[in-house]
Amino acid sequence: MDSTTPSHAENPDVREARWLQQFQHGLNRLHHDPGEAARIDAIIREVEETPADGPNLLADPLVSAGARAGGGTRLSGTRSSGAQPLLEAPVEPTRRPPGKRGHRLRGIDDAVGPAHRSWLEPVRHGFSTSGMTLNELAGRTGYSKSRLSELMRGSGPHPRWGVTAGVGRALGMPMPPMLRLWMNGAREAGKAQSWIDACAQETAVDETSQPLALRALTSAMAECYTAFASAFLPASHQAEKVVAEAFDILWIHWETALASPNVHRHAWHVLRARVLSQAPRDRDGRVDMSATAFSTAAAHRTKDLDELWIHVQETGSLLKAISQLPDDLMDYTVLRYLCGIPQGEIPGILGVASAQGWNLDREARRMLEADLFAADHAQEGPTGR
């Protein structure tokens, strides 16, 4: 038997470690051939669908999985359509699932912050797709309909962990990421750490690991995701926190990610939604990247105050133009020119075909040059003075 092939009798932990190592090797190869993103998506699905004592699907991941998948998954388009992907906007059902009884959920309270929404929206989505009514959920959790309705709307005081955990378990959600997201929401609501700790001790949480494929995705993408977040959130701890939240949301909704046409694309949408929900905004409600001008390498090298001021003004104009690009163009430009990620790796991060990278670069440059030229011309005035 090949030494890299897990045997049926092998310890499950050892087998999983080998699969993870081989899967990581396949993802590393993606950086050298980003066109293989679709095959990596196929590997993710096959690992998740394989029984614990099944064959070694990852012995030659980029070849075998791609061939079995019949050419890989469908890649989504480049230009922004204006439609928000799953988990980027409140996931309200447009109508009841067939045969579902009871009233539709009312909308989330406007006062609910982004950290609270990070776990509330997946809970609402899980409830809406479960086919349960509030009466049935009340029967499973032991909490009243009015209390559950309040939790689902995000109204009233921030719910205790015991209530949140009861609903999450009834909907089959993993508890470790739920608890972390709930804690972040409680801090956002101004709850004292002592209150949060006391609530968390009321209901025990069993330690469980991320699904194998999600762990590999996390290992491969955490660094570049954090670099992207740092372009909008200069405080490093905030960028790392938002990226951790994104992976926890993916864990809660991992089955939804696997059901999407493109797992990498779905993961990127979840990440950018979390980042932009935390990013500062200008008076017009657009993303404000001006603080990033102070964190560039050129700004750090500048000792003269006048030179620094000129640099910040010039960089600020460019960052404003970048923030107004269509979604994919903005994402590509930030990753390529602010984060310094090699051009060939970016399509795999965004979950698009490798050939689209050149198109994104060309179109972003064209739009930026046009915007900056128009801004310079407006400052000079019609006479050029």
Side-chain angles (χ1 to χ4, degrees), residues 126-139:
F127 173 71
S128 297
T129 57
S130 70
M132 279 192 284
T133 64
L134 273 180
N135 275 332
E136 292 166 340
L137 185 60

Side-chain angles (χ1 to χ4, degrees), residues 103-128:
H103 300 290
R104 288 175 54 183
L105 290 177
R106 292 170 56 185
I108 296 176
D109 193 289
D110 291 339
V112 172
H116 190 165
R117 283 178 178 271
S118 68
W119 65 262
L120 179 56
E121 288 176 3
V123 164
R124 289 171 62 91
H125 178 71
F127 173 71
S128 297

Side-chain angles (χ1 to χ4, degrees), residues 180-181 239-249:
R180 287 191 291 269
L181 294 173
E240 293 168 358
K241 173 176 170 290
V242 166
V243 171
E245 286 180 349
F247 284 122
D248 276 339
I249 293 171

Side-chain angles (χ1 to χ4, degrees), residues 86-290:
L86 180 66
L87 299 182
E88 192 164 337
V91 282
E92 312 294 347
T94 55
R95 56 188 175 87
R96 297 184 191 87
K100 183 172 179 178
R101 306 171 302 284
H103 300 290
R104 288 175 54 183
L105 290 177
R106 292 170 56 185
I108 296 176
D109 193 289
D110 291 339
V112 172
H116 190 165
R117 283 178 178 271
S118 68
W119 65 262
L120 179 56
E121 288 176 3
V123 164
R124 289 171 62 91
H125 178 71
F127 173 71
S128 297
T129 57
S130 70
M132 279 192 284
T133 64
L134 273 180
N135 275 332
E136 292 166 340
L137 185 60
R140 293 193 184 192
T141 62
Y143 296 109
S144 67
K145 283 176 55 179
S146 60
R147 191 168 189 181
L148 294 177
S149 179
E150 185 178 79
L151 180 144
M152 293 289 187
R153 296 196 310 273
S155 58
H158 195 273
R160 299 183 70 87
W161 168 240
V163 183
T164 308
V167 172
R169 285 198 175 98
L171 297 174
M173 293 181 166
M175 288 295 102
M178 278 282 291
L179 176 58
R180 287 191 291 269
L181 294 173
W182 174 87
M183 285 181 165
N184 291 338
R187 295 186 188 102
E188 177 186 69
K191 295 295 185 181
Q193 190 61 44
S194 57
W195 183 88
I196 295 172
D197 293 339
C199 284
Q201 293 173 3
E202 293 175 355
T203 303
V205 172
D206 295 333
E207 285 298 326
T208 55
S209 299
Q210 284 181 322
L212 174 61
L214 177 57
R215 291 207 323 247
L217 186 70
T218 300
S219 175
M221 296 296 171
E223 185 175 350
C224 55
Y225 280 9
T226 302
F228 178 82
S230 298
F232 299 88
L233 309 167
S236 60
H237 70 280
Q238 189 178 9
E240 293 168 358
K241 173 176 170 290
V242 166
V243 171
E245 286 180 349
F247 284 122
D248 276 339
I249 293 171
L250 278 171
W251 185 355
I252 291 175
H253 261 300
W254 189 233
E255 293 301 322
T256 301
L258 291 176
S260 68
N262 183 324
V263 179
H264 275 70
R265 187 69 170 163
H266 181 95
W268 177 256
H269 279 151
V270 171
L271 179 276
R272 84 181 307 274
R274 292 308 303 161
V275 170
L276 297 184
S277 72
Q278 302 288 319
R281 302 276 169 170
D282 61 19
R283 288 179 296 180
D284 297 325
R286 292 180 296 221
V287 174
D288 183 1
M289 301 177 65
S290 57

